Every structure is written in structure tokens, then in C-alpha cells.
Amino acid sequence: MLRRAFLLVLILNLSASAASAGPSIDRSISATAQSILADMTPEERVGQLFLVTFTGQMKAGDPALELVTRHYVAGVILRADNDNFTDPPGTLANAAALIARLQAARHAISESAATPVPGELGGGPVYIPLIIGLSLDRDGKYGPEILGGLSELPTEMAVGATWSPVIARRVGETVGSELSALGVNLLLGPSLDVIEEAQAGRSGDPGVSAFGGDPYWVGVLGRAFISGVHAGSDGALAVVAKHFPGLGAADRPVTEEVPTVRKSLDEIQQVDLAPFFAVTGGLPGDSPEVADGLLTSHIRYQGLQGNIRATTRPVSLDGQALGQILSLQTLPTWRQGGGVMISDSLGSRALRRFYDPSEQTFNGTLVTKDAFLAGNDLLILENFQSSGDDDEVESMVEAISAFVTRYRDDPAFGERVDASVLRVLELKLRLFGGGFPRDGVASGDVEKITGGSQLAFSVASQAASLISPAGTEPPGPPPSAGQRIVFFTDVRVAAQCGSCSQRLWMDPRGLETAVLELYGPGVAGEVGGWNLLSFTMADLALALGERPPSSTPKPLAPTEEVLRALDAADWLVFSILSTRDGEFGSNALKLLLDQRPDLARQRRVVVFAHDVPYELDATDISKLDAYYALYGASESFVSLAARLLFQEVAPSGDPPVAVPGVGYDLIAALSPDPDQKISLRAYSEVTGSVRVTPEAGYSVGDHVYMETSPIVDHNGRTVPDGTPVEFLISYQGENLSPVIQSVTTHGVAQTSIELDRIGQISVQARSDPARVSDILLLDVREGTPAFITVIAPSPMPTATVAATRTAEGALATPEPGSAGAGRGGGSGAPLGLSGFVVAILMTSGVVAASVRAGKVLDPRPMGPVRYGLLAGIGALAAYDYVALGFPGTAIFRVDGGLWWLAGLMLVGGALGVGAARGWQQGRFPGG
């Protein structure tokens, strides 16, 4: 009994201690990391700076295993290109076994006896689990690193086309859950590149591996995805956002040559760096939306590094440039809180060409030193064989050994190493719940990975966009029974490893098969197998006279067969990927449309873009009946294409990048919709989500807090954060109308004013090109509480608010002085309550003055009445002419009060008096 009581008290005390220690978990991890570091030898410390790659399955006796057991590297990166994975059906099981072998080898060395070295800081290997890294994609190649067994995933651009953080988080949760079950604990991704300039054929284009072309939305979706990965893995999978500081504007693949981006520092911050600021707005481990690390890319920025020359280092190797970037906005706090900087591959061809344009020599040790001193904590050694070395392992050992020697000889270098190692240790401790498991890392639980395609199909359904024709209506009827359909598919090849069987990415009969399964005989019966034919785009290129290469992924169909099919077709359906040099047939659709458009005439031509949506130009698109963007080429996206073709589903996504061929400008699309009315609300206090409206009204000296309703863009979603909004303040009787500048947060803009004077105040808001809003009226008087009156504007004619389309298809903003410009938003904008009050006061004054004048000028009984009546009619006619927005009134509407209205009504009253005088003198009948 006493024992049970003692245990209960102990448990309660431990629980209370854990609860009270919650907020200081970071300090606890930091202290643990310091303690571990103190027990580490220089060799162990230096080893924690390196992430290595290797070839094959790392079996016993593999020389690369010594990097784990004798040189204490921080971890490994698994790559399909390095044959680290095997063909299905055992892909996942073999990958989990490989990871388990690596972790077991690391644990085993900590269990072995070590011979202390005199003068060393520690007495033997400290057990520190390995980082096991995996990339989301193959760096520009088609297909993920693991082709089978895991859930089918949508591309980043497909997620971007849904514009949904909820979907981005769901995709991240799936990634986090499955990869952590496999044993992976570091994810190289997502890419936060911004495709600012959509340009077909640009070799540096990240393609569908980027969320889109708007920095704000890339940041929003990136944060949601990272949050999902952390949630799905229960915090056991670190996320490294790439490619810092951003490759969206690169003009060539970063793997081939160091690109140069000619932007100013302001442009870099506003576009390229903005998504990285978004995912570093906190401390790693403290908020799930915050990235654990950033992958630095080999790229040069003119805005940072001045006059770029061939000898200018990429920022990944330039300590001054990288340090300047890391001092901006959110990055210093994130870095101090444990954010890890990881270099991209230090053996890439781009770096080899930078150090030696002839590519004859390569000094890996020099490259690692430059990358580390530039500010990277972890260095990825890949394709790392130096000149004169027998293999990569030898070059890696040389680089590590050189770091150890310098650590011992150079205290300043040693301090930098220790600082980076502490960040790496803190990262690892966060992954393992604050402490490393005494018995080693448990093997992955592959049985938890169920795979499937439901998520990918759901995302595909919400991402699909109808690029042309514009609108949501189906582009004509779907195929009908008896019509012949010919499918052309752009086929690429992917394989799980060098010796693995090749698979076609995409299947040349994939769309035909999907159509038959959904609408063929025995199902819907809308088509029969006899009237469907499938070819590859390479088949079409050959038929159009292109010379084929010596070998192709699939034997080419005879030219006569392809031409006969074209001649007999009622429908031509193309499934295309991006045009690439060296991919025979990838340009076949453009060849057909440009050189042989006769073969497509009198036929329905439908194109499904399974890659970026900006591949075709305006002339090519004009020859199509329908052009869809799907942003993905996996099976779910092919199945969706069949449903779109037969109009079973409607495309609901919007392109997340500009599409020049149809005049879809992303900046215009994300600008405020000019047809919306901005609502305004006023409060006496705004604190967080609390809004207080005073029951007793406002008095002189009070502050009035105002905010808009969510402002929406042309696609009906809230505008990006930072969208400019102006609040126009008008004081009755004053010519000056202050304008308060604000910006949106989550679509809403806020401001405040102090009631520092007596009189009537009106407030409107505009966010160009949206210029119509509620009017807030407040009549402030001494000793009398003032209450807000909200005047909703009357519906405006479409012509005065709707933006017009330019020849290029972009939305044009109304010019000042034209319909849609002016004080209230246009010549037809309502005068509001203020105008009505002015009208009543002016009419009363004009009538009273005219009656008094009539008594002098026309003493007859009805004379004064006639003067007052006609003067009042004249004044009201002037008001009505302006209020109804008749031609010519725009020149009178100016900011700065309603004095101009009073003047116009006075003129109208004077004309009425003149008419009464003429009547009196007999100039009109009955006078």
C-alpha cells in the first residue's frame, strides 16, 4: 500500500515537473546539446558537419560504411540515382532495411570499447543517431525518389493551383507520416522558388516543382505544407526548405552552371526571399510552420554582389553575401534559435565548372572549406571525387581529415565548428524528443504505409484549370458514340535504379485506358475500343518528318499509320509535358500546329498540359478547342483528364503562375476585384480578435478604429498580405482630405483616426482598382455623443466599375477623370448622406432668399411664391443632374468636401430666379 502511494506521489511530481518545464524545452535541449558536445572528440565534432551520399545498398564491408563508423558523419542522403532503392515490390521494405542497417552501425560503434587519446576532450564515441535524408523530387527529373509503395502525391504546382493551405497541409501530413514510418528523418523540400516570369523553354525553370509565381502564396502554402509534415511525423521529420535564396529567376539549371540573377536587393526581398521569411518567422521546433533548415543554392545575385563576373562566387560560397542575407527580417532570430543552413551538393557540375571552367580539376577539400566558412552548418558531399583520388569515399575522408587538422590548429575555426555542431545536435535532439534512445533508433514501421491515390486525385480535381477558352462553361459537347478519338501522349522514362526496369512516365495508352474504364463498353457505353487509337508524341514527330534518335523509349509507329489515324479522326487529344532538348517528340504538338495545321482542321483538338501551363503561345492556343492545365503526370491526373474530356467534372482551379498565351497576368489576377464593394466597420477598441463598439457613442478626443471587410482578388480569394489600401478622410467644409495608407493582413486592412475637432467626418476606402466602399459618417459635436452611420453605396453601372480587357487580355484600371475615377469611385458614385444634407440646406436657403427677393421685385400676391418655387426647382435640378452622374459632372467632383455641390445648386437657384424674372416681365406665356 505504501509502495503504491509512493509511486503515485512520484508520478504526480514528475507530471508537474514536466508540465512546468514545457516552456523551457528549448533551453533543456540546448543544455543537453552542450553536454553532448563536451564529451565529443574533434573527429566526432567535425564529422557532424557532413551529410554524405553513397552508391548501392551499403552492405557489410562497403568502404562507404566507414564514413558512418569511423568518421562520424552527421548522416546520409538517399538518392534513386545512386541506386539506394530497389525495384518493386520490395522497394519500401528494402529501403527500411537499409536505413536500419545504417542506424545500427552508428549505434554499434558507441557500444564498442574505445582507447582514449591523451589530451582529448572525450574518451570514446558518443552515440548520436544519423540523419537520413530524402528529397521530394529528383531535381528536375520526372517522378519522385521512390516510385512505388508510397502514396501518390500531387506536384507542388498542383497544390498551388488549389490555392488551399488546408490541402497543402494534408499533403504534408501524408509525406510526414509515410517517410517517418520508413525511417527517414530529414526532408529536402519543399521548394520555395517563385516563378515570377513564366517563360516556356527556360532551362532554369523549376516547373511544377514550385507552388507558383506569387511570393505571398508560395509562403502561405509552404508554411502549411511544413506544418503538415511536422504533424504527420509527430515532430520526427525535419523539413529543409529549398532552394534558398530562390531559383525562380534562374536562367539555367543550377546543377549545370552557377546562374546569375540580376535583381536589386529590394526585389530579392520582395520576391525571392519572401517565402523563406514566411517559413522562418519563429523558432525551429517551437512552431510547426517553421522550417528546421534551409538548403542554400549555388546562385549569384547582382543586387547583393555588385558587378557580377565569372569569378564572383555563388552566395553558397560567399560569406559576405550569405551573411547579408541572413541578417534580413526573420532570419537572424530563426538562426539564433537553431535554424540550420545546409549547402546544396558540393560536387555538382556547376561548382566544378566554377572552380575550373575546363572541368579538368576538382579540389573537394577546398570547396567544403569555402562552403563552411560562408556560413553553412551541414555540407552535402555528393559526386564528390577530387582529381587524382580513386573514389568518392577517399575524397570525403580527405575533406573531413582536413577539417579535423584545422580544428586542432585554429581555435577560431574550432569555435565555428562547435557553433554549427550545436545547431546540428539541437536539430537531432528535437527529432528524438529531447534525448537520443539508449538502445538505438527503432526500425521503421513499413506496415503503417498504406499508399494509395485518393489524395492525389482529390488535389488533381481541385487543381485542374481550363486555360482556354476562358470561363467555366464546357468548350462544346463531349465526344459521342461513334466518333473516332486519337490520343497522343508525351512519354518519358523513369527507373528506380540504374539496373531496375524502366517504366514509362507517362503511359502512352494511359488516357485511352482510363477512357475505356470509365466510358467504354460494359460501363457507360459512350465509346468503343474500335474507335480509339493511341500514339506517342515521338510517333507524331516522326510522321511530321523529324529525324529520330538512334534509340527511343518505345518503338515508333509507322508514319503511314499515324497519318491515316489523323485523317480519320474526329478528336485529337494531346497529353503533353514541357518541351526539352534531347527529348524526341516533346515539341511535336507545336510542329503540328505551326507546320501542318491542316491535319488538325475540322477536328476537335483538346490539350492536357501535365506540366507547366505556359508551354504554348497565343497562336498555338488559338488553334485549340480546349486547353487544360493539370500540373501533374501521375495516374490520378491522367484519370482526371478522361473525366474532363467527357465533362464528368468541371475544372475548378486557377493557374498559380502567369500564362502569357491567354493574357492571364498573375499580378492582375491577384489584385482587388474592381466589381466588389468594400464594407467598412468602426470600433472604439481593437485587440486581437476582440472588437468593441461603444454604446455611449464617440466624443472629441476618442480614437476610432476602422477595418475593411476581406478584400478579394479577381479569382474570388482574399488578396495577398501587403495589398495597399487607402482610407479617405473628409471633413465637412475643409478642402483638404487626408489619405491614410494601410495594407491588408488576411485580406483585411485597418486604420484609426483621432476625433480632434468638431464637425462631420466621412471615411471611405479603396484598394485600386476596387474603389467603391461603404461610407462611414460621424457628426462630432461638443457635449453630444456621436454615432457611426454606415452608408452603403448604390449599385453602380457595370461600365463604371468593371475593368476592361486590353488587347493582351490584362485587366486595365480606369484612368483618373474617366468613368470609375473620382472622389467616390466614379462619376456615378453616390453623393451619400452628406450630399443629401447639403441639398436640403441649400434648397431651403435658396428658396428663402428668393422669396425675400420676390417680395421686392414682384409685390403681386403670387410673385414671391413664384420666385421661391422656381429658384428651388433650379437648385434641386442641379443636385439631381450631379447625383445621377450625367455627362460632364465628373469635372466638378473633386476631393475636399462638398462646397462645389453648394456652388452648383446656387447657380441652379440663380437660373430659377432668372426664369421667375422673365415670367414677371412677360417673356413666358402666363407671365
Side-chain angles (χ1 to χ4, degrees), residues 534-748:
S534 292
F535 298 96
T536 67
M537 298 292 280
D539 294 333
L540 179 59
L542 178 65
L544 294 175
E546 293 291 292
R547 174 179 291 183
S550 57
S551 64
T552 56
K554 184 178 180 294
L556 299 179
T559 295
E560 298 78 11
E561 184 179 342
V562 176
L563 294 177
R564 281 197 305 269
L566 286 169
D567 185 60
D570 298 297
W571 288 75
L572 300 178
V573 180
F574 297 88
S575 298
I576 65 171
L577 297 169
S578 290
T579 302
R580 292 192 179 184
D581 293 339
E583 296 286 353
F584 180 69
S586 64
N587 64 337
L589 176 59
K590 292 183 69 67
L591 290 173
L592 176 72
L593 297 175
D594 294 346
Q595 300 179 12
R596 292 297 307 273
D598 57 296
L599 296 175
R601 290 198 186 105
Q602 308 303 316
R603 294 164 181 82
R604 296 289 302 278
V605 182
V606 177
V607 174
F608 294 104
H610 290 269
D611 208 309
V612 294
Y614 42 81
E615 186 71 17
L616 301 179
D617 59 31
T619 302
D620 291 334
I621 294 173
S622 69
K623 302 171 185 177
L624 309 178
D625 292 281
Y627 180 34
Y628 294 92
L630 299 185
Y631 316 103
S634 58
E635 292 181 2
S636 291
F637 291 86
V638 175
S639 177
L640 180 69
R643 290 172 166 84
L644 290 168
L645 180 64
F646 282 82
Q647 298 177 14
E648 179 182 327
V649 298
S652 58
D654 295 300
V657 290
V659 186
V662 294
Y664 178 80
D665 181 80
L666 190 62
I667 295 176
L670 298 183
S671 68
D673 183 355
D675 291 337
Q676 69 187 298
K677 188 264 290 184
I678 302 171
S679 297
L680 292 176
R681 296 292 181 267
Y683 309 95
S684 61
E685 181 181 346
V686 175
T687 306
S689 61
V690 177
R691 304 289 185 269
V692 178
T693 302
E695 297 181 1
Y698 297 90
S699 303
V700 175
D702 288 347
H703 280 82
V704 181
Y705 297 88
M706 292 162 286
E707 67 180 12
T708 67
S709 57
I711 299 172
V712 298
D713 63 21
H714 287 71
N715 292 329
R717 302 177 183 89
T718 55
V719 294
D721 283 2
T723 298
V725 177
E726 295 180 335
F727 290 87
L728 289 76
I729 317 298
S730 296
Y731 295 93
Q732 186 178 15
E734 298 186 13
N735 292 334
L736 296 177
S737 295
V739 176
I740 301 177
Q741 305 288 342
S742 183
V743 294
T744 59
T745 301
H746 304 305
V748 174

Side-chain angles (χ1 to χ4, degrees), residues 854-855 857-866 916 919-922 926-927:
K855 289 179 180 180
L857 298 174
D858 189 359
R860 291 178 297 177
M862 293 301 295
V865 175
R866 182 181 294 115
W919 195 321
Q920 176 189 349
Q921 294 176 352

Side-chain angles (χ1 to χ4, degrees), residues 715-782:
N715 292 329
R717 302 177 183 89
T718 55
V719 294
D721 283 2
T723 298
V725 177
E726 295 180 335
F727 290 87
L728 289 76
I729 317 298
S730 296
Y731 295 93
Q732 186 178 15
E734 298 186 13
N735 292 334
L736 296 177
S737 295
V739 176
I740 301 177
Q741 305 288 342
S742 183
V743 294
T744 59
T745 301
H746 304 305
V748 174
Q750 297 178 333
T751 192
S752 66
I753 60 172
E754 181 182 2
L755 302 180
D756 58 355
R757 68 191 80 178
I758 301 295
Q760 189 180 76
I761 303 172
S762 66
V763 182
Q764 300 177 70
R766 66 188 180 198
S767 183
D768 284 332
R771 302 177 64 87
V772 179
S773 80
D774 287 342
I775 303 171
L776 299 186
L777 292 178
L778 192 64
D779 196 358
V780 182
R781 300 185 181 280
E782 193 69 50

Side-chain angles (χ1 to χ4, degrees), residues 84-101:
N84 296 145
F85 305 107
T86 61
D87 245 352
T91 305
L92 295 188
N94 290 336
L98 168 60
I99 294 171
R101 283 197 301 276

Side-chain angles (χ1 to χ4, degrees), residues 194 196 248-249 261-268 271-272 301-304:
V194 179
E196 186 181 15
V261 173
R262 300 190 179 277
K263 287 184 176 181
S264 68
L265 182 58
D266 285 342
E267 289 175 317
I268 297 169
V271 179
D272 301 85
Y301 280 98
Q302 188 177 34
L304 286 171

